[in-house]
Amino acid sequence: MEGDTLLAVRDLTVALPIGGRLVPIVESVSFTLGAREILGIVGESGSGKSVTSLAIMGLIDVPGARVSGSVRFRGRELVGLAPRTYRALRGREIAMIFQDPMTAFTPVYTVGWQIDEQIRAHQKISRKEARSRTVRLLGDMGVPDPEQVAGRYPHQLSGGLRQRAMIAMALSCNPALLIADEPTTALDVTVQAQILDLLRGLRRDYGSSVLLITHDMGVVAETCDRTLVLYSGLVAERGPTGALFARPGHPYTAALLDSIPPLHGPRPKRLPSISGSPPTPDERPAGCPFALRCTHVHEACAVRPPLVACGEQDVACVLPTEGRPLPPRFVPEFCA
Amino acid sequence: MTPLPVETSSPLIETHDLRMTYRVGRGRVLRALDGVSLAVQAGEVLGLVGESGCGKSTLGRCMLRLVRPSGGRVVFDGIDITAMPERRLRPLRQDMQMVFQDSYAALNPRRPVGDLVAEPLRVHSAPGGGRRNGVEIARRLVELMDLVGLPQAALARYPHEFSGGQRQRINIARALALSPRLVVADEPVAALDVSIQAQIVNLFMDLRDRMGLTYVFVAHDLAVVRQISTRVAVMYLGAIVELGEADAVLHHPAHPYTAALIAAVPEPVARTDGLPPPLRGDVPSPIAPPPGCRFHPRCPAMRDRCSVDPPVLRRLPDGREVACHYPVLGAEPDLMPGLPAFLATGPAAGRPRH
Ligand SMILES: Nc1ncnc2c1ncn2[C@@H]1O[C@H](COP(=O)(O)OP(=O)(O)OP(=O)(O)O)[C@@H](O)[C@H]1O
Ligand SMILES: Nc1ncnc2c1ncn2[C@@H]1O[C@H](COP(=O)(O)OP(=O)(O)O)[C@@H](O)[C@H]1O
Ligand code: SF4
Ligand code: SF4
Ligand SMILES: [Mg+2]
Ligand SMILES: [Mg+2]
C-alpha cells in the first residue's frame, strides 16, 4: 500500500498573520493520495481548500506565514524545501490548474507558443518538435482543430477551450500529480461535464493522480474516488466517495447534503438548512468547529474531536465514539 | 385533440416577440433576445434557466424596463410599458423590483443598512400620495427586518459587517420595502454557499406565501429552480426552447437541450451507474448563431431538416411549449393524456415556417 501512495499529507497546519497575530487557517489536515487516484477536497467558501493546495505546492508567500506538519510526495518531504527545488518540482512533477485560465496564460502570446515554451523549459527539444507535441496534447484534450487553436490568443478562445488549453499546458510535462482548484466553477454545466470527463480520463491516459478542489458536492460525487470534507480549516470527514455520500458520518456532511435541493423525486416543502454561517478562522471555537450550528451538539463537543473511524470513513465527531453514530441518510431510491 | 388549457385571469407580466439587439462593432449585431413571448400569472413563480449568455438577465431587465427592448412588447398588468417614458413608469416601478446576484455590489458600503433599506420609501411617495414621515419609515423598517429574518440591530450596521447570506437578506428587504407585486430575482443565490443558499431559497418561498408575490426567478442551477418554480422556461441563444410546468419539464424534458442540460447536472448522490456522455461543443456565439435550429450543431437528435428549418415554439398536448421538430415524447404516457399517436410514436409535424 505504502508503495502506491503518491502524496501523504500529515497534520498540515498553515497559520497566517491576521491583525498582528498568527491565526491557524488550516489545522492538522491529513490525507493520502494514491497513484492514479482522484481525491476531492470539498468545503464551503473560506474552509481552507485553496490554502491547503497552495501549501502543498509551496506557494504560500504571505510574509510571516507558518506552514508545519508533513507533505511527503513520492517519499520526499516537501515542507521546508528550498524555493528553488520546489520550483523545479512544480510544472514537472506537480502541476496546477485554476478556476480562471486567464491567470495561467499571458495575453500577449498565442496559447500554442506558451505551451511550447513550457515543454521546452523542461526538455531540450526543438521548437518544431515542441509544437507537434502541443498540437497532440490539445487534440487529446478534446480541442477541435488543435493546430488552428494553438495559433490563437487566450482571449480568442471560449471558456471551455481555454480550460482545455490550460489542462494541456499543465499536462505537457506529464506530471504525476495534478492539483485542480475549482477548474469548472466558471463554466456552464454542459462544458463542466466535458471537463470532468476529461479529468476522469487522465489517470487512464496519462497515469496522473488528481487533487480536485471544489465547493460542489455533485462534482465530487461524480468525479472522485475518495473525498475529504473541510469545515472551517479542519477535516470534518474523509473516506470513499460512495460510502460518504450514501452514509455520511459527520453531522456537517449530512446537513450539507440535505440542504441541496434535489433534482429528482418529490420536492421538499422547505429545504432543511443549516442555521448561521461557518466561523472565520479567528473566531473558530476551541472544541468542535461545527458546534455552533450542529443540531447534535452536547457537552462533549467542547473538546476538539479527533478523527475516528465510522463505517468506511473517518469522522471528526464525538458521536461514533459515544456509540450513537448518525442514522443512515434517507436517499430516495431513484437517486441512489 | 384535447383542448388547449385556457388562461383564465390576465397575466401580471407578459412579453410578446421581445427582441433585444446590441451593436458590437464592425457592423455586427448581437441578438441577446430573439423573439421571446411568455406570460406570468399573478402568484406564479417562473423559473428562467439556461447557460451563461443565453439572455436570462437581458429578459429580466427588459421585463422590468430597466432597459428598453429593441422590438416586441412588454405588458405589465395589462399596461403596455415597452416604450413608456421614465416619468410615467415611476409609479409602476413600486410594483416591480429586482434582486441581483452580487449582494455586495448592490449595497453602498458607506451607508448603514437602515438608510439603504429606507431609500425606496423616501424616494417613492406613500400609497395615498405624499411623503412618508419618519415614524412611518421607522415602523416599516422594523417590519422588513422581521420579514427577512434579520435582527433590528442590523439597521445601524454597515454592509461589510454582514455575511453574503445576510447581505442578500438586506437586498431582499430593500426590494420588498414598497410591497411590490412582481420581483425579478437574477441569480439571487448563485454566489452563496449551499448551506446559506437553502436559507435564502426558503426565505423566497416564505415571502411568496406571505405576501402573494409573483417571481421571475433566474438561475442556472436547475435544482434550485425546480425547488421554487411553478413553471420553467429554458432558454438557448436568446430564445425559449421549452416552457411548461416545472415538474413536467424537468422530469420529462421534451426538448433535447433541456434533456442534455439536466443530464449534465452533477448530482450529490452515491453513484452506481455510469455517466451519460457529455454534450459536444460549446454554446455558439449569439453574434453568429447557427442556421435552422440553433441547437443543431450540438443536438444528439439532429436530422437533416434541423440545419435549415428553424423550429417555432408550439404547444404540446400536455400544455407545455417546445421549439423542436422532433421533441422527446411519451416517456411517461400517463403524464400525457390524450397524446395523439403520431406524436407518441414518430416525429411530430412542425408548423410551417413563417
Ligand atoms: N493571505 C491571506 N491572509 C489572511 N487570510 C487569508 C489569506 N488567504 C486566505 N485567508 C483566509 O483563509 C481562509 C481560507 O481561505 P481559502 O482561500 O483557502 O478558502 P477556500 O476554501 O479556497 O474558499 P473559496 O471556496 O472561497 O475559494 C479564509 O478565511 C480566508 O479569508
Ligand atoms: N450591454 C450589452 N452590450 C452588448 N452585449 C450585451 C450587453 N448585455 C448583454 N449582452 C450580451 O447579450 C447576451 C445575453 O446576455 P445576458 O442576458 O446577460 O445572459 P445571461 O443572463 O443568460 O447570462 C450575451 O451574449 C451578452 O454578452
Ligand atoms: S462533535 Fe458535537 S458539535 Fe461537532 S459535529 Fe459532532 S455532535 Fe456536532
Ligand atoms: S429541431 Fe432538430 S436539432 Fe433542434 S433540438 Fe430538435 S431535433 Fe435537435
Ligand atoms: Mg479557493
Ligand atoms: Mg445573467
Side-chain angles (χ1 to χ4, degrees):
Chain A
M1 204 56 220
E2 253 303 296
D4 260 338
T5 302
L6 181 72
L7 180 75
V9 175
R10 277 238 324 269
D11 287 328
L12 180 67
T13 297
V14 182
L16 299 177
I18 297 174
R21 63 189 189 97
L22 266 183
V23 177
I25 303 288
V26 167
E27 279 188 63
S28 299
V29 168
S30 302
F31 62 88
T32 59
L33 178 64
R36 292 166 193 256
E37 193 176 36
I38 305 183
L39 174 77
I41 299 188
V42 67
E44 296 181 76
S45 181
S47 58
K49 306 181 294 293
S50 297
V51 167
T52 302
S53 65
L54 291 172
I56 293 168
M57 295 280 285
L59 288 173
I60 301 275
D61 55 2
V62 180
R66 200 167 66 211
V67 178
S68 56
S70 160
V71 175
R72 292 187 87 80
F73 174 69
R74 290 178 155 166
R76 178 176 179 195
E77 180 58 55
L78 300 188
V79 171
L81 208 64
R84 269 193 55 210
T85 329
Y86 234 132
R87 241 191 323 270
L89 203 68
R90 283 195 301 265
R92 204 168 58 217
E93 292 181 70
I94 308 179
M96 193 156 182
I97 57 174
F98 302 93
Q99 174 173 339
D100 180 6
M102 287 309 258
T103 56
F105 290 112
T106 335
V108 292
Y109 297 107
T110 64
V111 293
W113 190 88
Q114 296 183 57
I115 301 174
D116 297 349
E117 283 303 295
Q118 174 80 17
I119 295 171
R120 278 155 52 84
H122 295 281
Q123 263 177 307
K124 295 282 150 274
I125 57 171
S126 74
R127 191 163 284 283
K128 231 179 118 191
E129 282 172 301
R131 176 50 61 100
S132 76
R133 190 175 310 171
T134 296
V135 170
R136 189 151 21 93
L137 264 169
L138 287 171
D140 282 357
M141 295 307 117
V143 171
D145 201 354
E147 229 150 314
Q148 191 250 339
V149 168
R152 289 207 250 156
Y153 292 89
H155 70 266
Q156 296 175 317
L157 303 181
S158 70
L161 278 183
R162 249 187 329 236
Q163 207 65 358
R164 287 172 197 274
M166 178 164 68
I167 297 173
M169 182 148 86
L171 292 178
S172 62
C173 299
N174 231 332
L177 171 62
L178 179 69
I179 300 182
D181 191 349
E182 306 267 7
T184 60
T185 301
L187 304 175
D188 280 318
V189 278
T190 61
V191 181
Q192 165 170 282
Q194 297 164 4
I195 300 293
L196 295 180
D197 203 43
L198 183 62
L199 288 179
R200 280 189 295 264
L202 289 185
R203 58 175 135 195
R204 183 185 61 231
D205 305 335
Y206 286 79
S208 311
S209 303
V210 181
L211 198 61
L212 178 66
I213 291 165
T214 175
H215 68 280
D216 188 328
M217 296 294 265
V219 166
V220 174
E222 292 199 343
T223 316
C224 303
D225 306 308
R226 287 191 305 132
T227 296
L228 180 97
V229 181
L230 275 185
Y231 185 77
S232 188
L234 282 89
V235 176
E237 177 162 8
R238 66 172 185 219
T241 303
L244 187 140
F245 279 81
R247 295 172 296 280
H250 195 285
Y252 172 63
T253 317
L256 197 59
L257 288 175
D258 283 341
S259 66
I260 303 171
L263 189 54
H264 298 289
R267 300 192 219 183
K269 240 191 125 25
R270 287 178 69 79
L271 291 172
S273 63
I274 309 178
S275 63
S277 46
T280 57
D282 52 339
E283 55 190 27
R284 186 179 301 149
C288 172
F290 189 53
L292 298 168
R293 307 171 76 194
C294 182
T295 50
H296 303 271
V297 64
H298 56 293
E299 309 86 77
C301 311
V303 177
R304 184 74 53 89
L307 275 172
V308 295
C310 173
E312 292 178 58
Q313 298 103 276
D314 298 316
V315 168
C317 170
V318 298
L319 294 177
T321 320
E322 293 173 352
R324 43 191 197 116
L326 289 186
R329 199 170 91 92
F330 170 71
V331 181
E333 50 185 318
F334 33 80
C335 295
Chain B
M1 262 190 127
T2 42
L4 299 179
V6 184
E7 250 110 62
T8 42
S9 56
S10 71
L12 182 60
I13 182 118
E14 51 193 312
T15 68
H16 299 279
D17 196 31
L18 199 64
R19 285 162 199 281
M20 188 67 182
T21 51
Y22 294 106
R23 286 179 202 294
V24 286
R26 278 178 272 145
R28 292 176 310 168
V29 170
L30 184 154
R31 288 179 213 287
L33 293 179
D34 200 12
V36 171
S37 302
L38 53 78
V40 187
Q41 306 293 328
E44 214 180 22
V45 179
L46 178 74
L48 223 50
V49 301
E51 296 177 281
S52 70
C54 70
K56 306 180 296 293
S57 300
T58 305
L59 178 55
R61 285 196 299 264
C62 285
M63 281 174 146
L64 294 191
R65 268 301 317 276
L66 299 178
V67 291
R68 192 162 157 179
S70 337
R73 290 194 303 135
V74 183
V75 179
F76 178 75
D77 199 17
I79 307 165
D80 189 327
I81 60 169
T82 321
M84 196 179 262
E86 193 54 42
R87 179 181 43 80
R88 286 187 45 220
L89 264 175
R90 241 186 104 131
L92 291 178
R93 291 224 178 275
Q94 312 194 21
D95 281 337
M96 29 190 219
Q97 294 289 327
M98 190 132 177
V99 176
F100 297 93
Q101 164 177 347
D102 192 340
S103 61
Y104 199 64
L107 299 169
N108 182 339
R110 278 185 291 277
R111 294 175 55 198
V113 168
D115 260 20
L116 293 168
V117 178
E119 186 180 281
L121 296 166
R122 298 209 172 91
V123 174
H124 288 274
S125 47
R131 304 242 159 251
R132 292 175 177 84
N133 65 36
V135 179
E136 282 170 318
I137 290 177
R139 200 183 302 131
R140 182 70 184 144
L141 286 179
V142 171
E143 279 171 18
L144 286 165
M145 290 296 106
D146 206 39
L147 203 57
V148 300
L150 284 173
Q152 278 173 47
L155 291 167
R157 289 160 61 192
Y158 289 82
H160 73 261
E161 299 176 54
F162 295 88
S163 67
Q166 290 172 321
R167 279 199 295 263
Q168 203 55 299
R169 288 178 194 270
I170 297 168
N171 275 314
I172 294 169
R174 194 152 84 138
L176 297 183
L178 298 165
S179 307
R181 295 160 68 196
L182 173 69
V183 173
V184 175
D186 191 356
E187 302 272 12
V189 299
L192 305 175
D193 278 317
V194 276
S195 75
I196 312 298
Q197 182 173 297
Q199 297 170 5
I200 302 297
V201 168
N202 285 339
L203 176 62
F204 269 103
M205 292 170 62
D206 292 345
L207 291 172
R208 175 198 169 216
D209 292 346
R210 286 167 66 174
M211 303 176 63
L213 291 168
T214 304
Y215 294 141
V216 173
F217 196 94
V218 178
H220 64 272
D221 185 329
L222 294 187
V224 165
V225 163
R226 185 183 84 119
Q227 178 65 21
I228 197 165
S229 307
T230 48
R231 284 197 306 149
V232 168
V234 182
M235 294 182 69
Y236 190 74
L237 283 177
I240 290 175
V241 296
E242 183 160 6
L243 172 64
E245 296 297 326
D247 285 328
V249 169
L250 296 174
H251 289 172
H252 307 285
H255 196 285
Y257 177 64
T258 314
L261 205 54
I262 294 166
V265 175
E267 286 189 81
V269 290
R271 294 207 77 88
T272 47
D273 52 342
L275 295 168
L279 201 62
R280 298 165 285 170
D282 290 345
V283 180
S285 158
I287 298 171
C293 172
R294 275 162 239 251
F295 185 54
H296 88 261
R298 305 175 79 196
C299 180
M302 200 272 275
R303 302 189 208 175
D304 289 348
R305 175 184 178 191
C306 305
S307 58
V308 286
D309 187 3
V312 294
L313 206 59
R314 63 200 166 96
R315 204 179 280 272
L316 299 185
D318 73 346
R320 81 174 84 189
E321 294 175 83
V322 177
C324 170
H325 298 308
Y326 309 110
V328 184
L329 288 176
E332 296 282 291
D334 53 314
L335 281 181
M336 302 208 175
L339 188 68
F342 76 91
L343 278 180
T345 54
R351 281 210 301 243
R353 297 172 66 180
H354 11 233

